[in-house]
Amino acid sequence: MQIDILTLFPQMFQSPFGSGIVKRAIDQKLVGVKIHNIRDYTHDKHHTVDDYPYGGGAGMVLKPEPIFEAVEAIRAAMPHQPAVDGLTVILLTPQGRLFSQQIALELSRYSHLILICGHYEGVDERVSQYLVTDEISIGDYVLSGGELAAMVVADAVLRLVPGVLGSAASPVDDSHATGLLEYPQYTRPPLYREWAVPEVLLSGNHAQIAKWRHEQAIARTRERRPELLEKANLNLRERQLLDKVELNSEGPDSGGR
Ligand code: ADE
């Protein structure tokens, strides 16, 4: 997968993509991430990227020309022009569809994403109408630009690309991957202060452990995000469990907050 990001602040991307899983995936050439400065696609002396809004009002609006030219240059430079359905051009904006694990999975199936970071009071509407194929918001709040949103989207998508998490880890149990929150995790020591790891996890009984984890995922989702259960596609046995299962009694779920 290739992700190209168009931004006015390329330096913001150095640290999130310069460490951890994403950096490793880039180094191993499993994915390519390229940051483009929108200002490089201007032609005037002052490298103007924004202008006053027609009709008046506060703030500035990002001009369409450098954004169109940047996307066209990226497409022209690609060694293989992907099929139309291999590429999607996404504008990060609080007006977009709300990002979710489902959307991350959908985007991970494209071979090429172009992410455009909006700024100021907005982006000329012709970018949305004639260039962009998708608009995404990462939440119902307003950031000072689309950069942090692009990082969130790129990170969530890239870790789903086959091979990126390595063979040992798998995204299938992640919170939200199943429609449920993830079960609680423990590591050594088995007793820390007076807090013990649940007995079943030390039992070596894989069937019992899988059952306990599944019940905990259901109970935790019921406690923290009950609205997710409506969409979670639970079978009859799981629905019955919903009423019965007890949350792991120690820890943050037990009302200690
Ligand atoms: N730009 C500003 N706020 C945003 C948000 N919530 N999501 C995506 N892009 C944004």
Side-chain angles (χ1 to χ4, degrees), residues 91-96 98 116-119 136-150 153:
L91 178 66
L92 284 311
T93 160
Q95 300 184 23
L98 197 56
I116 303 171
C117 304
H119 248 276
I136 288 179
S137 163
I138 62 159
D140 290 336
Y141 40 79
V142 180
L143 301 165
S144 54
E147 282 74 15
L148 290 170
V153 169

Side-chain angles (χ1 to χ4, degrees), residues 1-3 31 85-92 97-116 132-138 149-162:
M1 160 168 286
Q2 169 71 26
I3 302 187
V31 301
D85 60 1
L87 167 72
T88 188
V89 182
I90 301 168
L91 178 66
L92 284 311
R97 59 186 177 131
L98 197 56
F99 193 55
S100 63
Q101 189 64 21
Q102 196 56 42
I103 295 177
L105 195 62
E106 177 193 319
L107 297 181
S108 74
R109 299 193 177 115
Y110 285 92
S111 56
H112 190 182
L113 307 181
I114 299 180
L115 306 181
I116 303 171
V132 153
T133 50
D134 197 357
E135 299 190 18
I136 288 179
S137 163
I138 62 159
M151 291 172 203
V152 167
V153 169
D155 187 277
V157 170
L158 287 175
R159 63 191 293 288
L160 295 176
V161 170

